[in-house]
Amino acid sequence: MDRERVPAGEMKNFKFAVYWFLRLFLGLVFIYASIHKITDPLGFAKIVHNFQLAPWYMVNFTAIVMPYLELLCGILLISGIFRLGALFTIEFLLAFFSVLIAVNIARGLDFTCGCFSNSTEKTVLDIPAVTLLRDIAMFLMGLYLFKLEKPYFEKHYKPVLQQDNTARDFTHTV
Amino acid sequence: MKKILAESALIIIVSILLGCMVNIIRPHGIPFVGDWRNISAKDSENGYISVDTAHSLWSNRQATFVDARSDSDFAQGRIPGALNIPRGNENMYFPILRGTTGFDATIVVYCSSETCDDSIVVAEYLKRQGYTSINLYKGGIVKWIEKGYPLEK
């Protein structure tokens, strides 16, 4: 597995610090968010049901799988293994939930996010609009992280054009 | 881009396998398909009782109370003496009720509040199992607490 560090020469020190902050922050948020869902799958299933996220026959399956998806993405993003795939999945989840929350707000649905707790009692952080803003903010963080990963992406994921404009087979480690 | 999508797909597949495997192995795994179909209150054939009637039945020990909330909510506070049969996991918790009551016992089912329909679903489940005297206490634990009635933790 390729866990190559981004060479310090490719970006300035500040950007490097921002890069690592974003990677650790997003990774740890997703790991933390998965814990209560793993320990109380039935409680999370109730949240999924109230969210009207899935048809009734898919509620339990969603509640069983989603926490492990979050946990795995968080671990992979931090460790660097398949980190672009993990980041892409995180971005997809954040975009999906942002749209879902926005739709539910527009429908006037009373729901709790269930992001960091299975309790149906609401705190300030569970107000749907606050949840939406939080998810959009994390989505934007992920987009910027993708931008910072561009050198790594171009080196390992894209074919490099030689001077005669012939595409060279790109080499990458699995 | 294809490689990123491939990595993402692999992560999703591993998550599905991991989630399913852990759910099968763990002692309190949930069914892969739960009955979350919404049941309207007016479709219920069970009778509704008020918080005062529920309290009367409780204080006179004339009914067995069933809490339809999740086990974590149940642990945080419940009507004293209530048994927990969480919606979606009825099969696992039902034997405890069955072991202590006959089918002609008076059952009172509740959940968190008036807007919660978990109690209706669990009541329907108990009816299918053969219980003949099921009452729905609609106010839930919220109304019980508002009235200052005792709570067990």
Side-chain angles (χ1 to χ4, degrees), chain A residues 25-34 70-71 73-74 90 93-94:
Chain A
F25 177 78
L26 285 175
L28 288 172
V29 162
F30 269 71
I31 291 172
Y32 178 72
S34 71
E70 291 179 340
L71 179 69
C73 285
I90 284 171
L93 288 173
L94 287 170

Side-chain angles (χ1 to χ4, degrees), chain A residues 4-137:
Chain A
E4 182 183 310
R5 292 176 57 231
V6 178
E10 290 191 18
M11 62 177 77
K12 296 176 182 177
N13 286 341
F14 176 71
K15 269 193 177 178
F16 190 71
V18 169
Y19 165 77
W20 272 107
F21 169 77
L22 289 175
R23 233 175 100 174
L24 288 171
F25 177 78
L26 285 175
L28 288 172
V29 162
F30 269 71
I31 291 172
Y32 178 72
S34 71
I35 293 172
H36 77 278
K37 294 165 188 158
I38 289 171
T39 56
D40 183 14
L42 186 59
F44 182 52
K46 194 172 170 184
I47 298 285
V48 171
H49 166 66
N50 288 339
F51 225 94
Q52 298 188 18
L53 167 70
W56 67 267
Y57 48 85
M58 288 294 292
V59 167
N60 277 19
F61 185 77
T62 304
I64 289 166
V65 171
M66 184 74 72
Y68 292 95
L69 184 60
E70 291 179 340
L71 179 69
L72 205 52
C73 285
I75 291 171
L76 292 175
L77 183 63
I78 292 173
S79 68
I81 304 168
F82 290 169
R83 69 173 185 264
L84 291 191
L87 182 57
F88 178 82
T89 308
I90 284 171
E91 287 295 274
F92 176 78
L93 288 173
L94 287 170
F96 177 73
F97 283 118
S98 297
V99 169
L100 193 64
I101 291 168
V103 166
N104 282 344
I105 289 172
R107 286 159 66 187
L109 203 65
D110 183 29
F111 64 96
T112 50
C113 163
C115 302
F116 302 105
S117 166
N118 283 342
S119 174
T120 50
E121 291 183 20
K122 286 186 183 171
T123 64
V124 171
L125 293 175
D126 293 315
I127 297 171
V130 173
T131 304
L132 178 61
L133 287 172
R134 187 183 62 210
D135 283 1
I136 290 173

Side-chain angles (χ1 to χ4, degrees), chain B residues 41-74:
Chain B
K42 64 179 181 229
D43 295 333
S44 172
E45 294 172 8
N46 303 302
Y48 286 101
I49 60 173
S50 67
V51 61
D52 295 321
T53 305
H55 182 256
S56 176
L57 288 170
W58 174 78
S59 57
N60 294 326
R61 301 188 183 190
Q62 289 175 316
T64 299
F65 281 69
V66 170
D67 190 321
R69 299 174 298 156
S70 67
D71 47 12
S72 56
D73 285 344
F74 180 79

Side-chain angles (χ1 to χ4, degrees), chain B residues 33-47:
Chain B
V33 180
D35 187 6
W36 292 97
R37 281 170 286 189
N38 287 322
I39 297 175
S40 165
K42 64 179 181 229
D43 295 333
S44 172
E45 294 172 8
N46 303 302

